[in-house]
């Protein structure tokens, strides 16, 4: 449970020292994609705690969510409506749900 | 948690962490630093250029004063030199680089304040370079001897040209309202402007605001920037 958390912190520090930045016009897409990836990560954690984690499901879910979110943002930009809001709301809600479940599972386990 | 799931989740966590950090840094650059820096930089450059311009303008005025002084001392007295000086003053007056005073008109042109009606071409309701050109032409036909628009003296080489939302006069961008000063026979100039079917009537039809005031002692500034003739050279001996 703690290892992914450390991984996240490690990644954050690494990222801050990396000399690489997103081109400004692509930033909205990567932001939504990142949210999708984060949602997948929490979903994976939850599945691991519920003991039905599957590598294939996790990886394919992660990729498809990320790509779909970026695609949605892109298409929304082309047709002039803020389609990325759909991804934002959907993934936002799921992040909170997953977080709540993880909290419960951890608390139950530690009892 | 099994070994493989732990490994995959950790690897993905690291990747997401890196991406998140990059995103945060990019977004920070995007929103705060770049445009702010650019505008403040430009502002400083503009201020610098304006100050420089001001200094040069003052230098120019001082040099001009010196030239006038030299002329006065050299051409003091009568005879050929005195004649030369009157000739020079006359040439200056014609060139439009001396400030002049006399009776005349001040004509103010403003864009139409009529509320826009759907389907009307909005271009019909703003003052164009052509309107100013026509006005200047009418004034000249009525005997105007010195003209300026928003302080820009009209010379033989002056252009009155459309420049986006502004009008370019002596290569300066002039925005409405346009204040045209004309020295000449005030009554004659006003009546030719107000002629039936004349320019005031036409502009008034589109709601443009034209005001004309007569003055007894109107002052018009001379052209103060350097005059350059790059292509036209005088032919010797004529």
């Amino acid at each position: 449970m703690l290892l992914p958390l450390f991984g996240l912190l490690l990644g954050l520090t690494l990222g801050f020292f990396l000399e690489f930045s997103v081109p400004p016009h692509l930033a909205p897409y990567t932001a939504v994609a990142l949210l999708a990836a984060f949602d997948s990560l929490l979903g994976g954690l939850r599945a691991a705690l519920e003991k039905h984690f599957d590598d294939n499901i996790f990886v394919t879910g992660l990729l498809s969510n990320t790509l779909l979110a970026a695609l949605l943002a892109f298409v929304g930009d082309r047709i002039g409506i803020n389609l990325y809001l759909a991804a934002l709301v959907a993934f936002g809600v799921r992040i909170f749900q997953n977080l709540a479940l993880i909290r419960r599972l951890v608390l139950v386990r530690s009892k | 948690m099994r070994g493989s799931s732990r490994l995959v989740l950790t690897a993905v966590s690291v990747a997401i962490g890196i991406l998140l950090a990059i995103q945060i840094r990019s977004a920070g650059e995007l929103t705060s630093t770049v445009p702010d820096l650019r505008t403040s930089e430009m502002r400083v450059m503009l201020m610098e250029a304006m100050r420089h311009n001001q200094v040069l303008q003052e230098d120019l005025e001082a040099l001009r004063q010196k030239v006038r002084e030299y002329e006065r001392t050299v051409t003091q007295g009568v005879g050929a030199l005195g004649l030369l000086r009157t000739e020079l003053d006359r040439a200056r007056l014609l060139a439009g680089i001396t400030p002049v005073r006399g009776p005349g008109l001040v004509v103010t042109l403003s864009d139409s304040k009529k509320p826009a009606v759907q389907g009307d071409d909005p271009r019909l309701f703003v003052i164009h370079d052509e309107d100013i050109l026509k006005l200047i032409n009418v004034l000249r036909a009525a005997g105007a001897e010195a003209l300026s628009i928003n302080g820009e003296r009209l010379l033989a080489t002056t252009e009155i040209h459309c420049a986006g939302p502004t009008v370019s006069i002596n290569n300066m961008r002039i925005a409405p309202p346009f204040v045209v000063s004309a020295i000449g026979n005030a009554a004659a100039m006003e009546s030719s402007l107000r002629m039936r079917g004349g320019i005031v009537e036409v502009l008034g039809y589109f709601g443009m605001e034209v005001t004309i005031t007569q003055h007894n002692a109107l002052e018009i500034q001379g052209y103060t920037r350097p005059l350059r003739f790059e292509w036209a050279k005088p032919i010797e001996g004529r």
Side-chain angles (χ1 to χ4, degrees), chain A residues 1 3-4 7-8 11-12 15-16 18 20-22 24 27 30-31 34 37-38 41 44-45 48 53 55 58, chain B residues 1-2 4-10 12-27 29-30:
Chain A
M1 182 59 221
L3 210 55
L8 200 64
L12 272 173
F16 274 113
L18 267 176
F20 179 81
S21 64
V22 185
T30 49
L34 201 60
F38 197 66
L41 179 68
L45 268 175
F53 182 85
D55 294 354
F58 176 67
Chain B
M1 224 188 275
R2 282 184 299 123
S4 84
S5 73
R6 181 178 288 214
L7 201 69
V8 171
L9 282 172
T10 309
V12 169
S13 302
V14 174
I16 289 179
I18 292 173
L19 290 176
L20 191 63
I22 289 170
Q23 184 77 30
I24 289 169
R25 235 188 30 217
S26 306
E29 280 169 17
L30 189 73

Side-chain angles (χ1 to χ4, degrees), chain B residues 168-196:
Chain B
S168 165
I169 296 172
N170 287 343
N171 278 321
M172 298 292 271
R173 300 284 187 272
I174 309 281
F178 300 103
V179 181
V180 179
S181 309
I183 289 180
N185 184 338
M189 289 193 291
E190 176 155 9
S191 52
S192 33
L193 290 178
R194 291 196 189 279
M195 196 169 60
R196 186 168 278 266

Side-chain angles (χ1 to χ4, degrees), chain B residues 96-125:
Chain B
I97 55 177
T98 36
V100 288
R101 182 189 288 131
L105 287 185
V106 173
V107 185
T108 311
L109 300 175
S110 314
D111 288 345
S112 178
K113 291 202 172 58
K114 265 189 186 170
V117 180
Q118 193 84 42
D120 273 353
D121 189 346
R123 281 173 299 180
L124 289 175
F125 298 93

Side-chain angles (χ1 to χ4, degrees), chain B residues 81-171:
Chain B
L81 284 175
L83 259 164
L84 206 61
R85 195 174 158 215
T86 6
E87 190 77 351
L88 187 62
D89 283 347
R90 210 178 123 65
R92 284 233 176 88
L93 190 66
L94 269 173
I97 55 177
T98 36
V100 288
R101 182 189 288 131
L105 287 185
V106 173
V107 185
T108 311
L109 300 175
S110 314
D111 288 345
S112 178
K113 291 202 172 58
K114 265 189 186 170
V117 180
Q118 193 84 42
D120 273 353
D121 189 346
R123 281 173 299 180
L124 289 175
F125 298 93
V126 293
I127 303 280
H128 288 278
D129 48 338
E130 289 178 8
D131 300 325
I132 302 172
L133 271 170
K134 267 183 208 148
L135 176 74
I136 294 300
N137 207 23
V138 171
L139 289 171
R140 279 198 169 136
E145 289 170 355
L147 290 157
S148 79
I149 302 174
N150 289 18
E152 280 298 325
R153 181 69 175 268
L154 297 197
L155 309 179
T157 51
T158 299
E159 87 289 5
I160 298 177
H161 195 255
C162 181
T166 59
V167 173
S168 165
I169 296 172
N170 287 343
N171 278 321

Side-chain angles (χ1 to χ4, degrees), chain A residues 1 4 6-8 14 19-20 24 42 44 47 52 54 56 61 63-64 67-69 81 93 100 103-104 108 110:
Chain A
M1 182 59 221
F6 283 129
L8 200 64
L14 268 178
E19 283 299 314
F20 179 81
L42 283 182
H52 54 74
D54 184 296
N56 289 330
L63 290 179
S64 65
L67 290 179
L68 184 68
I81 54 169
V93 168
R103 186 168 44 87
R104 254 158 243 236
V108 165
S110 62

